[in-house]
Amino acid sequence: MAGSGLKRYKTAFQVRYAPFFGVFQRLMPAAEKLAKDFPSWETDGVVVYLSDPGRRCSVKLEPDSSFFEQDSDDLGVEKRVCGSLNKAVKEDLKVESLLRIGYRQKSLVPVKMTFESLVKILDLKFLSQDEQFRQIMPPITDLMHRVDCFEDGTNYHITVGPVRGHEVPRFVGFNRERHLDKKTALTDYGAIAREYPETAVALDIDFFRDGEHTAGVNLDDFVDTARKKTQKLAED
């Protein structure tokens, strides 16, 4: 899809680990360090939320996971915040054993055609055109192509499909609670939603390692590799 107007709308990165006693004492000091780069924060005593509506991103720290979410395509922000979060997990929370690490991107490729025409094109690209198969299939009005892959300890969930304009907000899943200024959230989100394409190819790539495949993984290297892999898959 290189050169096709591909735009990233959502990025998420999560580190999951088994909760341990020491993490409860370390959670708030770790959050305090991260909070220097976030204008807004709140906690219920167990979970800490750090938010930056200006950069459209947030971090959630829990006793069993650390989570970064971004509703923009600003790669610089992603690199800085993920780097800080990884440092907090290893140096401040002192997490030694991981259960799962995952990196996910959602992107859209706008197209200048009707939804029905896009379905026909993706039908030809992804589904069998065998005559016998076509004879038993009713007319296809929508579709979603999903593949699961595994390579060198890494799992991929890749989903591709057409979306109409009214389906885009649900696909993107913009975090309106954390990534918008509460005073102007309604107006700001309206402006964002108006920029969504009327018809597009939706691409959702989830890149993760779990269980024994997390052992010895450098989190910064994982994020960097995942970013490059998802970008290459999306562009191809």
Side-chain angles (χ1 to χ4, degrees), residues 19 34 57-58 75 90 110 121 125 132-133 151 153 162 181 185 188:
L34 290 170
C57 69
S58 59
L75 186 58
K90 286 300 184 182
I121 290 173
K125 186 175 182 65
Q132 185 176 4
F133 172 76
E151 180 184 38
D181 187 318
D188 291 346

Side-chain angles (χ1 to χ4, degrees), residues 2-231:
S4 57
L6 174 77
K7 181 179 179 181
R8 180 179 59 165
Y9 282 83
K10 168 78 75 176
T11 302
F13 168 59
Q14 184 185 49
V15 183
R16 287 174 49 197
Y17 35 85
F20 54 97
F21 186 74
V23 77
F24 293 93
Q25 285 74 33
R26 298 168 187 156
L27 196 64
M28 290 306 295
E32 187 175 4
K33 286 185 180 180
L34 290 170
K36 295 175 182 178
D37 294 324
F38 288 87
S40 176
W41 70 274
E42 61 182 89
T43 181
D44 59 7
V46 177
V47 180
V48 183
Y49 299 94
L50 308 173
S51 306
D52 187 345
R55 296 188 297 174
R56 301 279 192 260
C57 69
S58 59
V59 165
K60 180 169 71 171
L61 294 179
E62 301 182 81
D64 62 353
S65 68
S66 298
F67 181 66
F68 163 77
E69 184 180 15
Q70 180 184 29
D71 281 314
S72 80
D73 60 351
D74 191 324
L75 186 58
V77 169
E78 179 201 315
K79 288 181 177 180
R80 288 194 299 275
V81 178
C82 284
S84 297
L85 182 60
N86 290 338
K87 183 177 181 180
V89 169
K90 286 300 184 182
E91 297 183 9
D92 299 320
L93 297 179
K94 301 187 185 305
V95 173
E96 296 181 358
S97 179
L98 304 177
L99 298 178
R100 186 185 189 275
I101 45 178
Y103 179 93
R104 185 177 183 182
Q105 280 190 8
K106 291 183 178 181
S107 304
L108 291 170
V109 181
V111 296
K112 294 182 178 180
M113 65 180 73
T114 65
F115 179 81
E116 293 73 19
S117 296
L118 179 58
V119 169
K120 290 179 181 178
I121 290 173
L122 295 180
D123 176 11
L124 290 171
K125 186 175 182 65
F126 293 127
L127 298 182
S128 171
Q129 302 304 308
D130 178 77
E131 185 176 346
Q132 185 176 4
F133 172 76
R134 287 292 164 176
Q135 286 177 350
I136 63 174
M137 282 289 293
I140 295 173
T141 59
D142 199 352
L143 58 87
M144 179 180 70
H145 186 68
R146 163 72 181 263
V147 295
D148 294 342
C149 313
F150 181 81
E151 180 184 38
D152 297 330
T154 300
N155 294 275
Y156 300 77
H157 294 328
I158 305 170
T159 306
V160 184
V163 289
R164 303 174 180 87
H166 70 271
E167 297 171 322
V168 170
R170 182 174 61 182
F171 168 75
V172 172
F174 191 101
N175 190 334
R176 297 167 69 173
E177 181 180 4
R178 304 289 172 191
H179 298 169
L180 294 173
D181 187 318
K182 289 180 171 52
K183 296 179 181 178
T184 57
L186 188 61
T187 302
D188 291 346
Y189 184 71
I192 291 169
R194 284 192 292 272
E195 294 298 317
Y196 288 151
E198 283 300 314
T199 308
V201 178
L203 179 62
D204 183 348
I205 302 177
D206 189 8
F207 179 100
F208 69 95
R209 299 174 75 98
D210 56 9
E212 63 184 89
H213 301 295
T214 65
V217 174
N218 180 286
L219 293 177
D220 288 327
D221 291 344
F222 171 82
V223 172
D224 186 58
T225 299
R227 183 188 303 116
K228 291 176 180 176
K229 289 272 191 179
T230 52
Q231 184 175 352

